[in-house]
Amino acid sequence: MILGQPIWKFIIDFYVIWILVFFLFKFLINNKRIFSVVLSVLVVYVVFYLIQIADIFASSLILGYIVEWLPIIIIVVMAPDLRRSLEIVWKQEKVRDDFEMGSERTKQHIVDAVMVLASQQIGALITIEKHNTLDQYAERAIMMNSEVSKEVLINIFTPNTPLHDGAVIIRGDQILCAGAYFVLSDNQNYDKTMGSRHRAGLGISEITDSLTILVSEETGNVSVAIEGILLKMNDREKLLEYLNMFMK
Amino acid sequence: MKKFLMFFIEPFKIISNRNVSEKITNYFNKRPILCALVSFIITLIIVFFMYAKPYYGW
């Protein structure tokens, strides 16, 4: 017996609550926008609690209304984010143990394609998967499962073709899919004029351990997004060196 | 007047510009085991308050 309850009941109770708390925690952690709102709400609740203790009349009354309506307002305002976070709450868990990075040939083809695209100022977004699976994005894109080659990559990003808008996801030596859409980063540290392609590359690098190569349509500049950082990399050798480090 | 107003507003601005939520989410997303550990601790606290509190009549 634990505190007047049979042990088996206590264990089941503990397990169910743990799963619920874990689900809620993952749900909040998966989306930083939701998490920041929840933090703000917590601050409001703490202020409300303190004001009630201090028995301050007007603030207590107004905050009381706010606290009462806040959950409904959040659900209405954050509905798309909540839906998305619910969708991926378990999917984010998937980490590939059997992952294999691309060969030397794959790296060469990626770098060659990127340099050609940059020289012709054709926008491109190439994401190389590592441990964290990108299946959830690939599912909504055009599956390809083709071998990585310079020609295919150039062809995908050629303007006015069906697949040129969106990202290519590379898994090992294969192009998993093309035309994938990522969640845009809302990092305030970067220029507000930064295009949606760069924001998408930055967004995926913030939530997964993937590496994204970006080619700017306007300038032809090559950048690499990794762990939420954007690095300019116009030099072919530098890019290859970076890929060698990443694709070990 | 501006300085006077800034004195009250600035602390909130500093807190919001620190991207605390972003740092926390990135930290936990990279360490899935910590998520389980934190939820375990929260569960312990919940269970403690739900079982021990009425049992001991605190």
Side-chain angles (χ1 to χ4, degrees), chain A residues 140-155:
Chain A
R140 294 170 188 173
I142 311 294
M143 296 305 286
M144 291 194 66
N145 292 316
S146 75
E147 206 166 278
V148 173
S149 79
K150 172 187 162 189
E151 291 76 15
V152 174
L153 286 173
I154 294 169
N155 211 316

Side-chain angles (χ1 to χ4, degrees), chain A residues 107-212:
Chain A
K107 289 177 208 164
Q108 287 291 345
H109 274 264
I110 293 170
V111 174
D112 287 345
V114 167
M115 287 302 144
V116 171
L117 291 165
S119 66
Q120 295 178 11
Q121 293 201 0
I122 298 172
L125 182 58
I126 302 169
T127 301
I128 303 163
E129 188 188 59
K130 208 171 186 181
H131 294 93
N132 298 127
T133 179
L134 300 175
D135 277 340
Q136 66 197 76
Y137 304 100
E139 278 164 14
R140 294 170 188 173
I142 311 294
M143 296 305 286
M144 291 194 66
N145 292 316
S146 75
E147 206 166 278
V148 173
S149 79
K150 172 187 162 189
E151 291 76 15
V152 174
L153 286 173
I154 294 169
N155 211 316
I156 288 170
F157 291 111
T158 303
N160 302 323
T161 54
L163 299 179
H164 86 283
D165 204 19
V168 158
I169 296 176
I170 292 176
R171 176 180 287 169
D173 288 322
Q174 292 224 308
I175 297 176
L176 182 67
C177 68
Y181 289 98
F182 302 140
V183 179
L184 306 187
S185 165
D186 55 2
N187 194 327
Q188 306 292 323
N189 297 330
Y190 289 95
D191 200 352
K192 281 198 167 60
T193 55
M194 189 165 76
S196 55
R197 181 176 286 121
H198 284 70
R199 285 223 172 262
L202 209 53
I204 195 70
S205 75
E206 283 168 1
I207 53 172
T208 66
D209 62 352
S210 62
L211 177 139
T212 302

